Amino acid sequence: MEILWFLIAMCMLAAVIGPVLRRRGAGIRLARPGSPDAADPDNYGFLRQEQLDVRLPGPDQDLLDVLDVVQRTQDWRAAAQLLAGTPKEGELRWQRVQAFAGAASLELQQQPGTGGAWLRAWRAESPKDAGGAQVHAEFLVQQAWRSSAAGTDDFRIILEEARSVCAGAALLAPGDPVPYIVDLAVARGLGDSQEQFDQLWAKVIDRAPNHMGAHLAALHYLCEKWHGSREEADHFATTAAARAPQGSLLAALPLFAVYEHLPELNLVSGFYQSAVVTKAVEGALYAVHSARPDDPMLAHVRHLLVMFLVRSERWAEAMNQLVHVDGHVGALPWTHNSDPAAEYTVYRALAVAGYEANGGSPATLPH
């Protein structure tokens, strides 16, 4: 019986990954490393796996410089100064708050009891600093998800504390949407009712109606695996996309809704060429082409497009996205894997192989 189940599982696995590993009629084959027929990502100027930065979705040199100073000296003042100079209305402040919180959380994981001491000092020495309060709230959220199982007492205790810190952060900066965006993750973890969620969401959009990061946080709550349904998530995403102003990346939100509801086991080889996926991909491509080149959320959309374009066997389009994001992999879908850099490089290698199998080369790839 065990052998029968093993054979069934292997057949199902082959059905899932087969279309990704070969191009129908185009002749993609896996080549041995070192083979003259092997596609080499190095030929395109892509970084090696060990050089990829897993902390950020895209470049933010100011943030990286400050993080280096803070972690090397354990002095929080540079972080406070950077956040104080980051506009509260845009996406960049939210991303930087997440990055500082993530750095402190990872430090604490690596050095229990002592890691992240700079954040504790920040809160103790400057309790009225709005940036410090926001980083503290997001730190607690990340700690809850990182250190406890959802639904446990420890998980709820940490999130309840995060909610309290969110409330304090909101009082320190009344017009800033970040404390309420952090609270959206708390609402998801604590299982707030739809009415409670709607009240919180109203506070977010009153301050930042076109905030992409906020919409992604709300989408997570509305997904089927949390407190909504596929239909609710799709409606939320398509409505936001339809109302998005010209140049807004909200037009890509339906692709994130599709991603959140991907079947765990897909036995239909043409799923990624289906009308639903194709429409969402086209919307995301339109958003990318229309967005400002310096939009902080642009890299997030490009990374997700890479996965869908590779799965859809749209190799040239996948390569066009890769040349813009290569070097940073701190974004979905890679961060859902325990080794984001490894996951990313698998898809990158598939894109390169598919591109070359269809006549592409470094010389034909626009940069």
Side-chain angles (χ1 to χ4, degrees):
M1 180 60 74
E2 287 80 8
I3 294 176
L4 177 59
W5 281 114
F6 174 78
L7 292 174
I8 292 173
M10 291 301 294
C11 290
M12 294 172 75
L13 181 62
V16 174
I17 68 173
V20 178
L21 298 180
R22 63 178 183 277
R23 170 74 172 172
R24 292 186 299 272
I28 288 184
R29 298 290 184 269
L30 294 178
R32 294 177 180 174
S35 165
D37 296 325
D40 188 355
D42 286 352
N43 293 337
Y44 296 85
F46 295 148
L47 295 183
R48 295 186 179 277
Q49 179 177 326
E50 61 272 17
Q51 296 174 306
L52 295 170
D53 193 326
V54 301
R55 297 170 294 177
L56 300 173
D60 185 347
Q61 194 58 49
D62 288 342
L63 172 64
L64 293 178
D65 290 344
V66 169
L67 265 176
D68 177 65
V69 170
V70 169
Q71 294 186 305
R72 181 164 38 83
T73 66
Q74 291 295 298
D75 188 337
W76 53 270
R77 289 174 178 82
Q81 185 177 8
L82 181 66
L83 285 183
T86 305
K88 63 185 179 183
E89 297 82 7
E91 308 278 352
L92 190 58
R93 184 178 180 86
W94 168 230
Q95 290 199 23
R96 287 175 169 176
V97 166
Q98 287 183 300
F100 283 128
S105 180
L106 186 59
E107 275 188 40
L108 185 59
Q109 182 184 46
Q110 295 172 341
Q111 307 166 45
T114 60
W118 55 269
L119 178 55
R120 293 191 292 275
W122 188 356
R123 294 294 285 138
E125 296 170 20
S126 187
K128 299 297 184 183
D129 184 82
Q134 293 171 8
V135 173
H136 184 198
E138 173 64 18
F139 165 81
L140 290 169
V141 169
Q142 294 194 27
Q143 276 297 103
W145 296 101
R146 190 189 298 271
S147 63
S148 308
T152 62
D153 288 343
D154 287 347
F155 180 80
R156 295 189 64 85
I157 289 171
I158 298 173
L159 288 185
E160 291 286 3
E161 183 181 354
R163 171 152 285 169
S164 176
V165 177
C166 283
L171 292 175
L172 293 172
D176 195 327
V178 169
Y180 300 98
I181 300 173
V182 178
D183 209 0
L184 288 171
V186 176
R188 176 165 57 98
L190 293 179
D192 283 5
S193 68
Q194 183 70 52
E195 182 180 0
Q196 290 172 308
F197 169 82
D198 289 342
Q199 291 173 354
L200 176 58
W201 181 240
K203 294 176 182 177
V204 174
I205 60 173
D206 183 53
R207 291 161 176 79
N210 299 311
H211 199 290
M212 180 71 171
H215 280 77
L216 289 174
L219 182 66
H220 292 156
Y221 174 95
L222 294 167
C223 285
E224 186 174 62
K225 60 188 174 185
W226 287 105
H227 310 295
S229 65
R230 182 188 302 267
E231 292 73 24
E232 287 178 271
D234 287 344
H235 176 73
F236 175 81
T238 54
T239 299
R243 295 175 178 172
Q246 178 66 25
S248 170
L249 286 167
L250 287 175
L253 200 61
L255 187 64
F256 287 86
V258 171
Y259 173 74
E260 291 293 341
H261 294 92
L262 286 176
E264 291 187 9
L265 190 61
N266 174 34
L267 300 181
V268 180
S269 62
F271 172 78
Y272 286 91
Q273 289 86 26
S274 67
V276 170
V277 172
T278 299
K279 183 178 179 180
V281 167
E282 293 302 328
L285 286 170
Y286 169 79
V288 164
H289 295 150
S290 304
R292 300 188 332 269
D294 62 345
D295 191 314
M297 293 301 294
L298 187 54
H300 287 272
V301 180
R302 290 190 187 278
H303 278 291
L304 193 62
L305 272 170
V306 168
M307 190 209 82
F308 275 95
L309 291 169
V310 168
R311 290 289 189 103
S312 301
E313 302 176 7
R314 296 167 63 167
W315 312 113
E317 291 169 290
M319 292 293 288
N320 286 334
Q321 300 305 318
L322 283 166
V323 297
H324 287 95
V325 299
D326 194 73
H328 299 83
V329 295
L332 292 175
W334 326 122
T335 51
H336 274 173
N337 189 279
S338 59
D339 189 343
E343 181 80 352
Y344 168 82
T345 51
V346 167
Y347 276 85
R348 188 179 65 183
L350 288 170
V352 170
Y355 182 63
E356 294 188 353
N358 285 274
S361 71
T364 61
L365 182 65
H367 286 74

